[in-house]
Amino acid sequence: MKLNISYLLIGSVVPATARVGVDRFLPKNTEGDTCDNITFNGNGFPSGKTLFKFNILGRDVNKWGSNFNPKGDNAIVVALNGRSDILLLNGDASQDNSYDPRCAECGRGNQVSNFCILDANAIDGDAELCVADPFPSDEPCNDEYDDTCDEPAEYAIFARTSGKGNASAGLCVEIDGDENCYVGSTAISSKKATDISQQLLTLCIPQDDGKNLKVGLFDAICADDEGVLGPCKGQYDQELEETYLWAYDNDNNRRAEFRFYSVADLQEATGTDCFGVTRGGAVC
């Protein structure tokens, strides 16, 4: 979609209770801008209220051992080099079929939250992270059933690395023991944050019948009599067991920042319908 403006963030102090503020953006006339070219000033993160934020800390396994704990920091610890897995649990209690009751620990006092870290250590096994369901329909799509391909995610994830080294992350789903992962670029930008929602919330699973399955986080996946995967409707009547996770590949990076924002707030702040990735945007 073509835009005639881009948006720059000004100022650095906003109330903790503020949404992504419209007054924090100034229009600047540009030519040929698209949604991909909308950037935010400073560190790249939008200003205002976040739904959730946490850090990923890379640590040398030989130096710190598997018992290293971030001790109160809202962070997940991963190996300084190589792959670590972060198990994703559905923290949205309104999703009766896929809600994980372990995420009830996310609430503090009378506050209810869909996001929290349950297990911060990805060195001695999988870390565990509760997040909200970004696609409430929970239905993947293919060429035959495409009605949910354009459903936008309800939140966006921005991230950046800082310091030396590099890191990448992508969504994976294990289906009855077989792993499928996002096949596009999964690198996390350094210094300036970017929107990496597509690689963390969607993936494509190629099928032998040519009907590529586009999947959103926490979607229910079924199979037909031939083992071809699809949404749980029509000929796809065999229920399967899915486990969703982020595969985090670290190359000597010690710190990455992740922040979650409401898509509705981002759209209001920029005056566009940008943000809100779709299943259909997953790379095959």
Side-chain angles (χ1 to χ4, degrees), residues 40 48 51 58 60 84 131 192-193 266:
F40 297 88
L51 297 174
D60 187 334
S84 300
V131 297
K192 196 173 182 69
L266 290 171

Side-chain angles (χ1 to χ4, degrees), residues 22-270:
V22 177
D23 59 344
R24 293 291 172 182
F25 297 85
L26 290 180
K28 177 181 178 181
N29 291 328
T30 57
E31 185 176 350
D33 276 336
T34 66
C35 290
D36 293 335
N37 293 330
I38 291 181
T39 60
F40 297 88
N41 209 9
N43 60 16
F45 287 112
S47 68
K49 183 180 179 181
T50 58
L51 297 174
F52 182 64
K53 59 183 178 180
F54 72 100
N55 298 324
I56 290 182
L57 308 178
R59 293 293 183 264
D60 187 334
V61 177
N62 295 323
K63 181 178 180 179
W64 292 97
S66 61
N67 294 322
F68 180 78
N69 191 304
K71 294 182 179 180
D73 188 9
N74 202 32
I76 289 175
V77 182
V78 300
L80 188 59
N81 290 281
R83 172 172 165 172
S84 300
D85 289 346
I86 301 172
L87 184 65
L88 300 173
L89 309 176
N90 189 347
D92 189 348
S94 67
Q95 302 291 311
D96 296 335
N97 294 331
S98 56
Y99 171 67
D100 195 306
R102 288 174 289 180
C103 295
E105 296 183 20
C106 295
R108 296 181 179 180
N110 294 327
Q111 294 183 343
V112 177
S113 176
N114 298 329
F115 301 88
C116 73
I117 297 171
L118 291 185
D119 186 338
N121 197 329
I123 294 178
D124 62 354
D126 295 348
E128 295 180 353
L129 176 66
C130 293
V131 297
D133 190 343
F135 300 102
S137 71
D138 286 338
E139 288 189 4
C141 65
N142 58 20
D143 294 340
E144 184 176 6
Y145 298 101
D146 62 359
D147 51 314
T148 61
C149 277
D150 294 329
E151 179 186 13
E154 294 188 342
Y155 59 82
I157 305 173
F158 284 70
R160 69 168 181 168
T161 60
S162 58
K164 299 179 180 179
N166 304 289
S168 62
L171 180 64
C172 300
V173 59
E174 294 179 355
I175 306 172
D176 285 355
D178 294 328
E179 184 178 79
N180 302 271
C181 294
Y182 189 84
V183 298
S185 173
T186 59
I188 301 172
S189 66
S190 61
K191 297 184 179 179
K192 196 173 182 69
T194 57
D195 185 349
I196 61 169
S197 306
Q198 196 75 67
Q199 69 203 55
L200 294 185
L201 300 180
T202 71
L203 74 154
C204 176
I205 307 177
Q207 298 299 297
D208 292 339
D209 64 355
K211 299 175 183 176
N212 293 328
L213 186 64
K214 302 290 187 75
V215 179
L217 175 60
F218 299 134
D219 279 355
I221 301 172
C222 290
D224 65 13
D225 292 339
E226 302 297 325
V228 176
L229 303 179
C232 297
K233 60 176 67 175
Q235 71 271 31
Y236 305 104
D237 57 0
Q238 299 182 27
E239 295 184 2
L240 303 173
E241 182 176 348
E242 311 93 11
T243 300
Y244 287 92
L245 58 92
W246 286 338
Y248 191 87
D249 289 302
N250 201 9
D251 182 13
N252 208 40
N253 178 258
R254 292 187 175 274
R255 186 182 182 87
E257 301 172 73
F258 290 73
R259 298 183 187 180
F260 295 62
Y261 298 88
S262 161
V263 165
D265 286 354
L266 290 171
Q267 291 176 341
E268 179 182 355
T270 59

